[in-house]
């Protein structure tokens, strides 16, 4: 199963990233379904999978299915280009391709069903933990620290540089997820490194701000997060 899945991923990565020049992508976005590179790109994916699976004839039925789905997904993406953010389209496009590969793998090797059958309670526990340390914790953090008014630290013109939208929430989600993973794999020392690294990055902002309230606010948020 692992070899099969790796071959699918290898073909996808080679076709979508290594063997697709930026000029092809730009041409597809402009000319959409009339772009010849849309068809060249899909043919490359077909050829890559054919080469990788040619000794294993029992998997050949998957190749036209994946090729057709790749064409449809890419066509939808180019049609939506300009109407949505590029980053959102990229994530949706790649997510759809990976989902197809997972479904094809599941047809030949029912790993998802076996996974839930053999490790049902452990998977549910892992899912609960991940949801808690990411989305749920982000909402709880926002509620807990909402009692302090951050506008007082944005009074001067110098402090108008607020930063990226929702960046604080994303940083918190990632740091909690990292800590959770490091604890699971029994690398507790990396947790201290992560906390130290974040403190170093924050030190410059706190030094420039010279605001005790902002310093305490950031420390409270960091400690609650950890």
């Amino acid at each position: 199963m692992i070899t099969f899945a790796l071959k699918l991923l290898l073909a996808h990565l080679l076709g979508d990233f290594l063997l697709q020049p930026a000029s092809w992508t730009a041409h597809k976005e402009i000319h959409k379904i009339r772009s010849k590179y849309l068809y060249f790109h899909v043919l490359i994916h077909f050829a890559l999978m054919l080469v990788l699976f040619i000794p294993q004839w029992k998997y050949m039925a998957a190749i036209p299915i994946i090729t057709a789905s790749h064409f449809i997904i890419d066509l939808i993406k180019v049609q939506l280009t300009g109407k949505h953010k590029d980053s959102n389209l990229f994530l949706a496009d790649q997510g759809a391709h990976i989902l197809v590969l997972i479904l094809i793998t599941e047809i030949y090797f029912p790993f998802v069903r076996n996974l839930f059958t053999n490790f049902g309670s452990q998977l549910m526990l892992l899912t609960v933990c991940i949801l808690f340390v990411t989305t749920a914790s982000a909402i709880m953090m926002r509620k807990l620290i909402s009692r302090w008014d951050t506008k007082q630290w944005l009074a001067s013109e110098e402090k108008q540089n607020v930063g990226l939208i929702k960046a604080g929430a994303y940083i918190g989600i990632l740091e909690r997820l990292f800590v959770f993973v490091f604890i699971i794999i029994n690398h507790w020392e990396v947790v201290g490194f992560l906390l130290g690294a974040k403190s170093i990055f924050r030190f410059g902002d706190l030094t420039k701000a010279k605001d005790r309230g902002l310093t305490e606010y950031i420390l409270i948020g960091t400690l609650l997060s950890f």
Side-chain angles (χ1 to χ4, degrees):
M1 185 202 78
I2 294 176
T3 303
F4 178 82
L6 286 175
K7 284 184 177 181
L8 291 181
L9 281 173
L10 178 61
H12 176 72
L13 293 174
L14 287 173
D16 253 24
F17 297 98
L18 189 63
L19 300 178
Q20 181 176 211
S23 58
W24 286 23
T25 304
H27 194 275
K28 288 192 299 180
E29 290 175 353
I30 295 171
H31 298 282
K32 303 188 185 301
I33 196 172
R34 293 174 296 160
S35 173
K36 60 182 179 181
Y37 295 116
L38 175 62
Y39 303 94
F40 289 170
H41 173 65
V42 173
L43 284 174
I44 286 174
H45 273 277
F46 178 81
L48 285 168
M49 287 186 290
L50 197 63
V51 169
L52 288 171
F53 288 107
I54 202 164
Q56 300 168 301
W57 300 106
K58 59 182 178 179
Y59 301 135
M60 286 299 169
I63 295 177
I65 297 173
I66 296 173
T67 304
S69 68
H70 201 102
F71 173 76
I72 293 169
I73 293 168
D74 275 18
L75 181 60
I76 293 172
K77 180 190 175 185
V78 296
Q79 292 293 342
L80 294 175
T81 298
K83 300 176 183 177
H84 300 274
K85 289 183 179 180
D86 288 343
S87 58
N88 292 341
L89 281 177
F90 174 79
L91 290 174
D93 172 72
Q94 292 301 314
H97 288 313
I98 297 300
L99 181 60
V100 169
L101 299 185
I102 291 173
L103 292 174
I104 292 295
T105 305
E106 174 68 13
I107 291 172
Y108 287 100
F109 305 94
F111 69 99
V112 173
R113 281 169 283 172
N114 292 337
L115 203 61
F116 277 100
T117 301
N118 299 326
F119 305 102
S121 58
Q122 291 94 329
L123 278 174
M124 281 191 286
L125 177 60
L126 182 64
T127 303
V128 167
C129 290
I130 291 174
L131 287 173
F132 177 74
V133 300
T134 53
T135 309
S137 290
I139 295 171
M140 286 190 286
M141 290 282 300
R142 187 166 65 249
K143 296 293 184 182
L144 285 170
I145 62 178
S146 62
R147 67 182 67 187
W148 293 289
D149 184 13
T150 57
K151 293 179 181 178
Q152 59 183 309
W153 301 310
L154 304 175
S156 66
E157 186 175 338
E158 181 182 340
K159 296 178 184 177
Q160 292 300 317
N161 186 16
V162 182
L164 301 176
I165 298 174
K166 295 185 179 179
Y170 294 139
I171 291 170
I173 287 173
L174 288 172
E175 74 183 14
R176 288 189 296 275
L177 190 58
F178 284 145
V179 170
F180 177 65
V181 170
F182 291 143
I183 290 173
I184 281 184
I185 63 176
N186 202 28
H187 281 284
W188 295 73
E189 69 280 2
V190 188
V191 177
F193 172 79
L194 183 63
L195 181 58
K198 183 180 179 182
S199 300
I200 291 171
F201 282 117
R202 281 294 193 181
F203 180 76
D205 296 334
L206 295 175
T207 303
K208 291 177 183 177
K210 295 180 180 178
D211 192 310
R212 181 174 175 178
L214 178 59
T215 304
E216 291 173 343
Y217 178 81
I218 291 174
L219 284 174
I220 289 170
T222 299
L223 292 173
L224 277 174
S225 183
F226 274 90

